[in-house]
Amino acid sequence: MNFPVLEIFGPTIQGEGMVIGRKTCFIRLAACDYQCVWCDSKFTWDGSMKPELMSTEAIVSAVTKIADQRADHITISGGNPALYKGLSELVLQLQNKGYQVAIETQGSKWNDALLFIDEVTLSPKPPSSQMETDFTILSEMIAKLSGRNISLKVVIFDEKDLQYAKEIYQRYPNIPLFLQVGNDQTDLEDEAVTAEYLMKRYGELVGAVMNSTTLKNVRVLPQLHALLWGNRRGV
């Protein structure tokens, strides 16, 4: 199986979701079934960057080389990596090499590989994305992943997104929910300015969640990598 690979990089830290702060290496695959207006990885689907077709074996070899015995955790990202039917083979080969594997997907497409992955983050997109959640599919995926190490993550840009997060929380009260402040300044080049802006947004989100009578058992996160490195890629 060949995969369209845009980036393989690390070790770095995971900046989002259930394994935030975890030392990891990233495999970023091209293509997405969504086109979120605020996407910070538009190059995965807008044609601005050409992917390299790589076999499963080549990907595992490249990851092993960059990890260089410094990391034992791999994050498969996108785009939406759940689009690929051969993903199970990649996941199992990485695990056979001793790596734990995490993935993030918006919960729009089922993939049998999700049953093998160590940490699954389902990140349905709120109204600000201008995408629409199919709750039937999302619910079916959550049911199939019962007993697995999964979580939900919602990115928050505005009040409508916060209301959407409340709906997610009420629909799936037994799934850990992470709320993350959205970065709507992905063109900023000054890393200090980016960090200051995002910390202000983070404080506002924390305040809104603290005042909520609905959102109780949730975790409120910044984009940790953006605080450290701004909008740089490959870190």
Side-chain angles (χ1 to χ4, degrees), residues 131-151:
M131 300 293 106
E132 188 171 340
T133 301
D134 187 326
F135 282 104
T136 298
I137 293 176
L138 181 60
S139 296
E140 288 174 353
M141 290 181 67
I142 289 173
K144 287 181 179 180
L145 291 167
S146 177
R148 304 292 300 171
N149 187 13
I150 70 170
S151 67

Side-chain angles (χ1 to χ4, degrees), residues 16-235:
E16 304 179 356
M18 67 191 296
V19 289
I20 190 169
R22 179 72 157 90
K23 188 177 182 181
T24 191
C25 293
F26 277 86
I27 302 167
R28 188 184 297 279
L29 302 180
C32 192
D33 51 321
Y34 278 16
Q35 295 184 357
C36 300
V37 295
W38 40 248
C39 179
D40 60 3
S41 303
K42 288 182 179 179
F43 63 93
T44 62
W45 51 263
D46 68 1
S48 62
M49 184 175 177
K50 185 176 180 180
E52 177 184 357
L53 282 178
M54 297 179 67
S55 68
T56 300
E57 292 74 19
I59 294 172
V60 173
S61 176
V63 167
T64 301
K65 184 176 181 179
I66 66 165
D68 193 27
Q69 299 184 356
R70 295 176 295 161
D72 61 0
H73 189 272
I74 308 298
T75 299
I76 303 175
S77 185
N80 183 3
L83 296 176
Y84 296 100
K85 292 182 179 179
L87 193 63
S88 294
E89 180 186 355
L90 176 59
V91 171
L92 292 173
Q93 286 202 29
L94 288 167
Q95 290 172 333
N96 286 339
K97 288 286 186 178
Y99 296 109
Q100 287 185 306
V101 180
I103 196 169
E104 179 172 327
T105 174
Q106 56 262 48
S108 59
K109 301 286 184 180
W110 174 254
N111 191 308
D112 287 343
L114 299 175
L115 294 171
F116 307 114
I117 292 172
D118 299 290
E119 294 142 348
V120 176
T121 296
L122 300 172
S123 182
K125 305 309 178 189
S128 63
S129 70
Q130 296 184 17
M131 300 293 106
E132 188 171 340
T133 301
D134 187 326
F135 282 104
T136 298
I137 293 176
L138 181 60
S139 296
E140 288 174 353
M141 290 181 67
I142 289 173
K144 287 181 179 180
L145 291 167
S146 177
R148 304 292 300 171
N149 187 13
I150 70 170
S151 67
L152 288 157
K153 186 191 79 175
V154 178
V155 180
I156 308 295
F157 284 86
D158 55 32
E159 180 60 31
K160 288 184 179 179
D161 290 353
L162 194 63
Q163 293 301 317
Y164 174 87
K166 292 175 182 178
E167 181 180 359
I168 292 290
Y169 181 80
Q170 291 170 324
R171 280 178 177 265
Y172 312 109
N174 298 319
I175 308 297
L177 176 60
F178 295 81
L179 305 182
Q180 179 182 292
V181 65
N183 179 8
D184 58 0
Q185 299 294 321
T186 55
D187 293 329
L188 281 176
E189 295 183 0
D190 190 309
E191 294 172 7
V193 172
T194 303
E196 183 179 4
Y197 173 77
L198 290 178
M199 281 303 296
K200 180 177 182 294
R201 292 284 313 281
Y202 180 51
E204 292 169 351
L205 177 58
V206 168
V209 174
M210 294 309 107
N211 287 327
S212 172
T213 58
T214 302
L215 297 168
K216 296 175 182 176
N217 186 15
V218 299
R219 294 165 176 81
V220 189
L221 302 179
Q223 263 194 327
L224 191 55
H225 58 288
L227 293 181
L228 289 170
W229 300 299
N231 293 311
R232 269 193 282 168
R233 277 184 22 211
V235 291

